[in-house]
């Protein structure tokens, strides 16, 4: 119960743009529930928003190990890798997110951007086509 009080406070702080303060509250929650993927995911997002990309990646990787079938974690991990400038890590994470949930458009959008950045027009077009298919549904 106490962990969720820290999470709620972290959510309020994050929503108000107090990212580093949110990290502190989420870390308190993680001390109480160290293997909860939702809390780890929130902590990873807050670290990323606070500019701690290495910390975000480490936290989100742990969350992915705890719950390897939670696609949202891999979307956020891809965003953290992209923010850190690790395009290959981002691509692998977004590809995993698509495998787990092929109906979320964000990984397709980000993969297309990354492929275009790398000059890979073939895979960029594949992502654009896949995105159009899921938008029709």
């Amino acid at each position: 119960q106490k962990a969720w009080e820290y999470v709620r406070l972290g959510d309020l702080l994050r929503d108000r743009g107090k990212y580093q303060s949110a990290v502190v509250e989420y870390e308190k929650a993680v001390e109480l529930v160290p293997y909860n993927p939702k809390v780890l995911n929130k902590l990873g997002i807050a670290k990323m928003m606070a500019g701690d990309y290495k910390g975000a990646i480490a936290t989100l990787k742990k969350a992915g190990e705890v719950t390897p079938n939670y696609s949202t974690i891999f979307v956020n991990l891809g965003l953290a890798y992209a923010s850190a400038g690790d395009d290959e890590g981002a691509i692998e994470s977004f590809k995993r997110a698509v495998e787990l949930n092929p109906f979320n458009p964000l990984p397709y959008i980000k993969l297309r951007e990354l492929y275009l950045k790398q000059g890979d027009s073939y895979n960029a077009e594949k992502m654009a086509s896949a995105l159009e298919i899921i938008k029709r549904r």
Side-chain angles (χ1 to χ4, degrees), residues 75-109:
V75 172
N76 291 327
L77 182 57
L79 293 171
Y81 274 123
S83 296
D86 182 345
D87 292 350
E88 291 305 317
I91 288 170
E92 290 307 311
S93 297
F94 288 132
K95 285 167 67 174
R96 177 74 176 134
V98 167
E99 289 173 8
L100 294 170
N101 179 7
F103 302 105
N104 182 347
L106 184 59
Y108 294 101
I109 293 166

Side-chain angles (χ1 to χ4, degrees), residues 12-81:
L12 291 171
L13 290 164
R14 186 188 67 205
D15 292 346
R16 291 187 172 101
K18 309 286 187 191
Y19 306 123
Q20 193 55 49
S21 297
V23 167
V24 170
E25 296 306 317
Y26 291 136
E27 285 177 337
K28 290 177 188 175
V30 167
E31 286 180 24
L32 298 173
V33 288
Y35 301 107
N36 186 299
K38 290 184 179 183
V39 178
L40 289 168
N41 189 52
K42 287 176 179 282
L43 175 58
I45 292 168
K47 285 181 176 185
M48 182 173 35
M49 294 173 102
D52 178 9
Y53 305 123
K54 287 183 182 180
I57 291 166
T59 299
L60 292 164
K61 283 174 77 173
K62 178 181 176 184
E65 291 167 5
V66 170
T67 310
N69 296 322
Y70 186 20
S71 67
T72 302
I73 290 169
F74 292 96
V75 172
N76 291 327
L77 182 57
L79 293 171
Y81 274 123

Side-chain angles (χ1 to χ4, degrees), residues 107-119 124 127:
Y108 294 101
I109 293 166
K110 293 299 184 181
L111 281 166
R112 182 176 179 274
E113 290 172 2
L114 289 162
Y115 288 136
L116 285 172
K117 182 179 173 186
Q118 293 181 337
M127 292 302 109

